[in-house]
Amino acid sequence: MRSIKQNLSKYIMFVVLLVSVTFAQASILDYKFEVKETGNVSAIVAPTSAGYENHLHLVVNGVPSQVYVNNHLSSNWSVINFGVFEAGTEVGFMVDVVTTGDKWWSDSSKNSDWLPHMQTLGTLEQDFIYTGFEDLRWNGDWDFNDSAAYWSNISVTTAVPEPSTLMMLLIGLGLIPLIKREKV
């Protein structure tokens, strides 16, 4: 009976560790996006390799735009205009995977598997930022090129984790020695 309790205790600690590290990792990898100056925001469609059909939306105030990039129908290097926005407007991105019904957000806390499904980087002189999404649950093949675009008039910064996120990560990591320790 004691062995079952020890194993159950280790299993519970492992699950707590896994959940805390996953949430902390997802939060630390998120980015903050905003409109640089009042004016047009547009996307240049980047080539992708996805088998699934995806719609890439700009998200403003938590609402995905009606305009979107379709990874199968939008021509590579074409420009899609998303409208005029005020400087400082916080934005994000969302991919609607038409084939599976999944939705993946630039804010990974909204993702059903809690993982970041988007990678981003600035380009030369920050004229554009690149966003690339992975459209498969649990990050599939990790190529992050299933729906991609170069965005104009948007700046990106790494989100600063909240103290509670860092505390969750430290607590999770602190459980590692307890899981490894065996009682004789």
Side-chain angles (χ1 to χ4, degrees):
M1 187 67 173
R2 182 178 173 123
S3 177
I4 293 173
K5 285 183 180 180
Q6 286 175 336
N7 288 338
L8 183 61
S9 170
K10 285 183 181 183
Y11 176 75
I12 290 170
M13 282 192 281
F14 176 75
V15 169
V16 169
L17 169 69
L18 183 64
V19 169
S20 64
V21 169
T22 300
F23 275 115
Q25 173 249 1
S27 178
I28 289 169
L29 293 177
D30 282 335
Y31 301 93
K32 179 182 174 187
F33 301 94
E34 65 181 35
V35 176
K36 284 197 280 190
E37 51 192 51
T38 300
N40 254 352
V41 170
S42 59
I44 299 172
V45 181
T48 64
S49 66
Y52 293 161
E53 181 179 353
N54 299 314
H55 296 167
L56 172 57
H57 299 266
L58 182 68
V59 177
V60 181
N61 297 324
V63 180
S65 60
Q66 294 296 316
V67 177
Y68 55 82
V69 174
N70 182 311
N71 67 326
H72 285 181
L73 300 178
S74 301
S75 300
N76 290 339
W77 310 116
S78 61
V79 177
I80 298 177
N81 185 8
F82 283 80
V84 175
F85 297 92
E86 294 290 320
T89 301
E90 286 192 37
V91 296
F93 306 96
M94 187 271 292
V95 165
D96 179 11
V97 186
V98 176
T99 311
T100 65
D102 288 322
K103 292 182 183 351
W104 306 117
W105 303 79
S106 54
D107 176 358
S108 58
S109 68
K110 294 181 178 183
N111 293 337
S112 60
D113 63 2
W114 307 301
L115 294 173
H117 279 259
M118 189 196 80
Q119 288 185 340
T120 188
L121 55 97
T123 59
L124 188 61
E125 298 177 7
Q126 300 295 313
D127 289 337
F128 294 92
I129 62 160
Y130 170 83
T131 59
F133 274 85
E134 174 55 55
D135 63 1
L136 296 174
R137 185 172 294 281
W138 306 111
N139 279 337
D141 56 10
W142 291 82
D143 62 5
F144 294 92
N145 72 350
D146 298 320
S147 193
Y150 293 91
W151 296 86
S152 68
N153 198 22
I154 293 182
S155 63
V156 58
T157 56
T158 303
V160 177
E162 294 181 18
S164 61
T165 299
L166 293 175
M167 184 59 72
M168 190 181 334
L169 178 60
L170 292 173
I171 290 170
L173 293 174
L175 290 174
I176 291 173
L178 295 175
I179 291 171
K180 287 187 166 187
R181 187 179 304 158
E182 289 190 32
K183 294 182 182 178
V184 180

